[in-house]
Amino acid sequence: MEAWGFSLKLLITGASGLFGSKLAQMALARNFEVYSADIQSRTFYGQFVLLDISEKLKVHEAFRSIRPDVVVHAASLTDVDKCEMNKELAWKINVEGTKNIVEAAVETGSFLLYISTDYVFSGRKGSYKETDVPHPINYYGTTKLKAEEIVKAQSEYFIARPSVIYGSAPAAGKVNFALWLIETLQKGERVKIVTDQWNSPTLNTNLAEMILEVIERHLTGIYHLCGATRVSRLEFAQKIADAFGLDKRLIDPTSSSQFTWVALRPMDSSLDTSKAQRALKCKPLGMAEALGKLKLELSQK
Ligand SMILES: NC(=O)c1ccc[n+]([C@@H]2O[C@H](COP(=O)([O-])OP(=O)(O)OC[C@H]3O[C@@H](n4cnc5c(N)ncnc54)[C@H](OP(=O)(O)O)[C@@H]3O)[C@@H](O)[C@H]2O)c1
């Protein structure tokens, strides 16, 4: 490891989640000492730490006992509609929880990486750069932006903004979009997919590799760490179908006005990855390469 030079203690929050579980698995393979914290013990790698991030004293206790060198804070209430319906809970987990993690990381002198989201942007422009001003249009995005501000008040931090994370295994009790689509099309069932929402789908293992490089090189600042290809949800579905030899004719294009979501969705929250492309050796992958990697990962299970 370039910047550390010893077996590093890594604490991951949200470590049973779609991203956190992969990060933990891949960090273990690189001989990190991994502490996987989550509110429930489901899929985890390394040593499990039962931790509700909204419980300040417990967070401080965990940090004092582990004394992590690095913390990747990925725990969040990620259900966008639930955040809109239960704002108090969303604030408690996403904002207060992040404040607890930040304060504990300051006390133990741990390097903090926060996993934010493309939903901090309104979606009216698309291809957002790190220098664009965020303007969330739903409560989930509002809490994630507030959490970014709390993280940014520290002298040293890293904020990653991914977008629509997908991967080869269900996690945190949920099947991600790519897996759901593959399974549904394999059963020969029809699906309705929207044509009017764009983003930058992110393969969880690609994100984990980039985060591991950030840790190893001790990079700081805000980076859009997501897939390198901007696609509509329909294009994403069609590309998945093509990559897995599934029948695209089962995909019915539809408009987001046909769905009744509680929270507003940004129309185009795609992210520009040029800063990450320049800075990292492990690059944000284009869609074709990422889907090839997903296929390989699924075949190895
Ligand atoms: N998934 C995406 O498309 C996406 C896109 C952009 C950004 N992100 C961000 O990326 C990060 C990782 O996302 P993900 O998809 O891996 O999320 P995920 O699969 O939903 O995992 C989040 C984990 O955090 C846990 N958690 C919730 N409340 C907690 C609490 N009070 N204390 C401790 N743990 C708690 C969850 O447990 P429960 O399941 O029991 O609640 C879950 O295991 C999140 O910060 C998210 O905001 C995700």
Side-chain angles (χ1 to χ4, degrees):
M1 271 175 264
E2 287 172 35
W4 302 87
F6 55 90
S7 175
L8 177 144
K9 273 193 205 174
L10 171 65
L11 172 64
I12 302 166
T13 71
S16 293
L18 177 59
F19 164 67
S21 57
K22 265 297 157 201
L23 179 69
Q25 188 183 14
M26 290 164 63
L28 266 185
R30 293 194 192 189
N31 293 323
F32 285 43
E33 194 177 323
V34 176
Y35 294 85
S36 282
D38 209 291
I39 198 163
Q40 292 186 56
S41 77
R42 291 179 290 211
T43 315
F44 67 88
Y45 297 90
Q47 299 187 49
F48 183 70
V49 182
L50 184 66
L51 185 65
D52 179 342
I53 58 162
S54 65
E55 291 185 11
K56 185 176 173 154
L57 292 178
K58 296 265 168 59
V59 170
H60 279 268
E61 243 171 58
F63 273 67
R64 281 175 198 148
S65 114
I66 297 166
R67 304 205 74 83
D69 301 301
V70 179
V71 178
V72 175
H73 173 36
S76 178
L77 186 62
T78 53
D79 182 325
V80 176
D81 290 329
K82 197 167 171 184
C83 287
E84 206 70 27
M85 287 184 292
N86 195 339
K87 293 191 164 117
E88 209 176 306
L89 182 68
W91 188 268
K92 190 174 159 198
I93 298 172
N94 295 352
V95 180
E96 294 295 331
T98 300
K99 191 162 174 272
N100 295 338
I101 297 292
V102 168
E103 285 172 1
V106 168
E107 192 189 283
T108 49
S110 314
F111 174 42
L112 179 67
L113 292 86
Y114 173 59
I115 310 299
S116 185
T117 173
D118 54 336
Y119 272 30
V120 295
F121 293 110
S122 69
R124 285 189 272 275
K125 181 176 89 68
S127 300
Y128 290 98
K129 288 180 186 293
E130 290 81 354
T131 46
D132 283 317
V133 179
H135 185 81
I137 58 166
N138 57 39
Y139 201 68
Y140 167 71
T142 301
T143 60
K144 296 293 285 187
L145 180 60
K146 184 68 194 167
E148 279 194 6
E149 285 162 10
I150 293 168
V151 171
K152 277 164 68 180
Q154 310 315 305
S155 55
E156 205 183 60
Y157 62 84
F158 186 91
I159 294 174
R161 293 191 186 126
S163 166
V164 186
I165 302 175
Y166 63 100
S168 62
K174 291 168 285 190
V175 176
N176 61 78
F177 178 78
L179 276 190
W180 166 77
L181 186 82
I182 292 165
E183 284 167 13
T184 310
L185 295 183
Q186 275 171 344
K187 286 188 262 177
E189 291 173 12
R190 305 199 72 80
V191 290
K192 284 190 174 144
I193 307 291
V194 299
T195 55
D196 53 358
Q197 281 176 14
W198 285 264
N199 30 50
S200 307
T202 311
L203 181 65
N204 59 356
T205 47
N206 182 213
L207 177 59
E209 272 169 359
M210 292 190 281
I211 289 290
L212 288 170
E213 181 182 339
V214 167
I215 293 171
E216 287 171 358
R217 293 174 54 199
H218 206 131
L219 300 179
T220 56
I222 300 187
Y223 283 78
H224 290 169
L225 298 190
C226 55
T229 309
R230 170 186 178 270
V231 281
S232 71
R233 192 52 77 105
L234 177 70
E235 288 164 337
F236 184 32
Q238 289 169 334
K239 284 175 193 294
I240 293 169
D242 281 343
F244 286 83
L246 297 164
D247 187 356
K248 270 197 296 201
R249 291 167 305 177
L250 293 170
I251 303 173
D252 295 320
T254 187
S255 147
S256 54
S257 62
Q258 301 301 306
F259 288 83
T260 44
W261 289 302
V262 179
L264 289 172
R265 265 54 174 179
M267 295 302 274
D268 187 347
S269 58
S270 59
L271 302 174
D272 182 307
T273 56
S274 46
K275 182 177 176 187
Q277 299 282 358
R278 282 193 305 273
L280 297 178
K281 290 177 203 142
C282 173
K283 311 283 182 200
L285 293 179
M287 179 64 69
E289 210 179 335
L291 289 177
K293 198 166 186 297
L294 176 67
K295 212 172 160 185
L296 183 70
E297 289 167 11
L298 279 167
S299 73
Q300 289 166 343
K301 287 179 76 183

